[in-house]
Structures are given as structure tokens and as C-alpha cells.
Amino acid sequence: NQVFITVLFPAISRLADKRDGIRLVTNMESRLYPLLFLGSLGGIAALLKIFGPSYPFRLTFVFLFALYGTMFIASSIRFWMIAAIGRKGATYVAIHGLIASVLIVIGNFSLLPRIGIAGAAVAGIAAFIYTFITARLFFLRYDEQPEHFDE
């Protein structure tokens, strides 16, 4: 995530036709996410082993939190790309980021009492699916009419 913020965000922001940069990053994503998910699986499994009795080692937890981490990074990258487009992109990210945050809070309140800590992962995954879909819709509109988003 930090690599994107420090390298790709400024590069996309400076491009005259930001669609080229967005396409480049989008093409890289398809190769990045499987590796990221595998790394998350290993990292979460290691954390559960380290913290031992505090959190029981369950494959469901490992899978859910690895998916949560992967979706978090994927959504962050897409939202940073949208923000790099300009003021309208940043406004879009702020509005839909707020909606995603509300979804997480509502999901936590409703799921944590029922299914425990896994409810937090499920709520987050649902919110990140929302941001992933809204980002994809934004990119489709932007690709068709980039001049509409110019400042």
C-alpha cells in the first residue's frame, strides 16, 4: 500500500491522460492479489500461532482475515487511483469511504454478538466488496468520459 502511495499515486496524478496509469495499475492488480492473499494467509496463520491461547487457531479465521487484508489493500489501491484523478475523484472517495465505514460499523454491531471476532472480518469484507464495486463503476464511467472528471 505504501509503495502505491509514494510511487504510483504521484505518477498517476501527473499524467495528462490518467486512464493510461489506471489501466497499468489495474493490469498489475490481477497478478498482485493472488500473491497478496497467499502472503496474508501465512501472516495471519503466524500471528494466530504467536498469540496462541488468546485466539484459537481456526482455519476459518485465517481465511477470513487473509481475505479481509487482501480486500483492504485492493480497495485502498483503487481508491487512491480515483483520488489521483483530481478533486472530483477525491470527493468520490470521501463519500464512498464514509459509506463503507458506516457499513463496517453496522456490520460489527450486528455480527460481533452473533459470530464473534469473525463478524468483524465479514463486516469488513462486505464493505470492501462495496468499495471494489463502486471503484469499478467509477473507472468504467471515467474511461468513457474522462473530460467529465477534469477540473
Side-chain angles (χ1 to χ4, degrees):
N1 207 4
Q2 286 302 114
V3 170
F4 183 81
I5 294 169
T6 57
V7 177
L8 295 175
F9 178 78
I12 290 174
S13 297
R14 286 191 297 266
L15 290 173
D17 187 357
K18 293 173 179 55
R19 291 179 297 177
D20 294 336
I22 289 170
R23 286 185 194 121
L24 174 70
V25 174
T26 302
N27 289 337
M28 287 176 14
E29 286 178 321
S30 63
R31 292 183 293 277
L32 172 69
Y33 295 150
L35 296 174
L36 181 61
F37 181 71
L38 291 175
S40 294
L41 282 173
I44 297 298
L47 284 173
L48 284 175
K49 285 291 188 189
I50 289 169
F51 290 105
S54 300
Y55 296 98
F57 187 87
R58 293 187 191 150
L59 287 177
T60 326
F61 285 174
V62 173
F63 179 78
L64 281 174
F65 283 101
L67 185 58
Y68 175 92
T70 303
M71 293 296 294
F72 170 76
I73 291 174
S75 296
S76 298
I77 290 171
R78 285 179 173 244
F79 267 22
W80 276 109
M81 285 192 299
I82 292 171
I85 290 171
R87 186 175 40 230
K88 288 185 180 181
T91 302
Y92 188 90
V93 166
I95 290 168
H96 290 285
L98 181 63
I99 293 169
S101 298
V102 169
L103 289 173
I104 289 173
V105 170
I106 291 169
N108 282 342
F109 274 113
S110 62
L111 295 174
L112 281 172
R114 292 187 181 124
I115 59 175
I117 193 71
V122 171
I125 291 167
F128 295 135
I129 288 171
Y130 166 79
T131 60
F132 212 75
I133 290 169
T134 57
R136 182 69 185 139
L137 293 173
F138 181 91
F139 290 144
L140 290 172
R141 283 197 336 244
Y142 181 73
D143 206 30
E144 292 170 1
Q145 299 176 320
E147 66 280 351
H148 174 69
F149 297 94
D150 290 341
E151 301 194 46

